[in-house]
Amino acid sequence: MYKKNSEKGQILLIVVITMIVALTVGLSVASRTVTELRLSKQNEESQRAFNAAEAGIDRVLQQGGTISIPETLGNNSDFIVSSEEYSGAQILLNNGEQVDQDVGADVWLSDYPDFANQIGSRKLTIYWGDNDQVNCSASNPVRPALEVVILHRDITDLSVTKYIYDTCSDPVRISGTLDLSNYGSYTDISGLPGEIFRNKIRNPIIINNGIIMKIIPLYNSTTVAIIAEEVPGYTQSLPSQGSVIESTGTSGETVRRITYYQSYPQLPIEVFPYNIISQ
């Protein structure tokens, strides 16, 4: 009789354990399902918010201006967009993105597109070279040099000044360098916190009646900064170089932001012929 009751207790224990295991598995499956559904919803909202931010960028590129009141799309998402001119006494070319080797970027020294208000009596210092671009030989990453071409005076009667800056003395590199430059680490550039450049031109470029300047990295693409210093009696900074557009897309609780730099078009070939910078 005692043995029979003992067996009933064991059966009850097995049933309870089985129920606990089944409940644990069921809760685990349910929890995983809920988590996957939540992640799927978040991913969907994230993609909708990103698409909305892209739509905001496209809208401003086509129509200009800003969109300060949220504009709702048909997929339960909306966007707002701000656009500011990129100018000042201290700028990063391409808004901090690398300037392409042998292609370069324009620095406007007058107003786009009519070349009015030309800069005069300004000293420009150029910084370039990312922190890991230290090699003068063909090994990567190669230390870049710069070619700088400046158009000034009058658009109908252009005067051209060209500089070449290189901190490498390797005979394979540029011969007959027009201007020397300093090599090292320059981290304390007012207005550009956190930026590190390995090269700096030794003597600032004096700008008088400047129209436009093209900066072309040689041997490697690189980040470039321009610092405009005042000459006594003049307070003019660099004119607008384009616009920085920031679009914020929202879907549900998800927010995505896109920053887009819109530079002015490269100077037309009839104004800035290629043979000027290839000589």
Side-chain angles (χ1 to χ4, degrees), residues 207-273:
I207 300 295
N208 286 298
N209 302 114
I211 297 175
I212 196 168
M213 174 170 63
K214 182 177 285 291
I215 296 180
I216 309 164
L218 307 175
Y219 307 109
N220 203 354
S221 301
T222 189
T223 308
V224 181
I226 308 293
I227 310 299
E229 302 176 33
E230 296 179 7
V231 173
Y234 294 84
T235 59
Q236 188 179 20
S237 297
L238 290 172
S240 173
Q241 305 296 313
S243 300
V244 176
I245 304 171
E246 183 174 282
S247 179
T248 302
T250 304
S251 178
E253 298 180 354
T254 303
V255 178
R256 298 288 297 273
R257 291 183 178 87
I258 298 176
T259 300
Y260 178 83
Y261 174 61
Q262 182 186 26
S263 62
Y264 294 128
Q266 293 284 309
L267 198 63
I269 194 68
E270 62 271 14
V271 178
F272 208 155

Side-chain angles (χ1 to χ4, degrees), residues 97-264:
E97 297 295 326
Q98 285 194 335
V99 180
D100 290 338
Q101 171 189 348
D102 300 327
V103 176
D106 290 343
V107 180
W108 282 84
L109 306 176
S110 57
D111 291 343
Y112 173 86
D114 57 4
F115 311 109
N117 299 318
Q118 297 176 5
I119 278 185
S121 297
R122 299 289 288 174
K123 296 189 296 183
L124 301 185
T125 302
I126 305 175
Y127 295 78
W128 79 98
D130 298 337
N131 197 39
D132 62 343
Q133 296 177 327
V134 298
N135 298 313
C136 287
S137 63
S139 59
N140 289 320
V142 176
R143 189 190 308 177
L146 286 188
E147 182 175 11
V148 178
V149 184
I150 304 171
L151 302 188
H152 48 96
R153 283 179 51 181
D154 188 273
I155 196 65
T156 60
D157 183 23
L158 292 175
S159 180
V160 181
T161 304
K162 183 165 72 171
Y163 302 88
I164 297 177
Y165 298 98
D166 194 358
T167 55
C168 290
S169 59
D170 190 321
V172 177
R173 301 283 291 251
I174 296 172
S175 60
T177 299
L178 301 181
D179 281 86
L180 300 176
S181 55
N182 294 327
Y183 174 71
S185 293
Y186 299 87
T187 58
D188 299 324
I189 301 178
S190 175
L192 301 175
E195 297 296 333
I196 298 175
F197 299 95
R198 302 292 301 197
N199 305 278
K200 171 188 175 183
I201 65 174
R202 190 179 300 275
N203 298 308
I205 300 172
I206 305 299
I207 300 295
N208 286 298
N209 302 114
I211 297 175
I212 196 168
M213 174 170 63
K214 182 177 285 291
I215 296 180
I216 309 164
L218 307 175
Y219 307 109
N220 203 354
S221 301
T222 189
T223 308
V224 181
I226 308 293
I227 310 299
E229 302 176 33
E230 296 179 7
V231 173
Y234 294 84
T235 59
Q236 188 179 20
S237 297
L238 290 172
S240 173
Q241 305 296 313
S243 300
V244 176
I245 304 171
E246 183 174 282
S247 179
T248 302
T250 304
S251 178
E253 298 180 354
T254 303
V255 178
R256 298 288 297 273
R257 291 183 178 87
I258 298 176
T259 300
Y260 178 83
Y261 174 61
Q262 182 186 26
S263 62
Y264 294 128

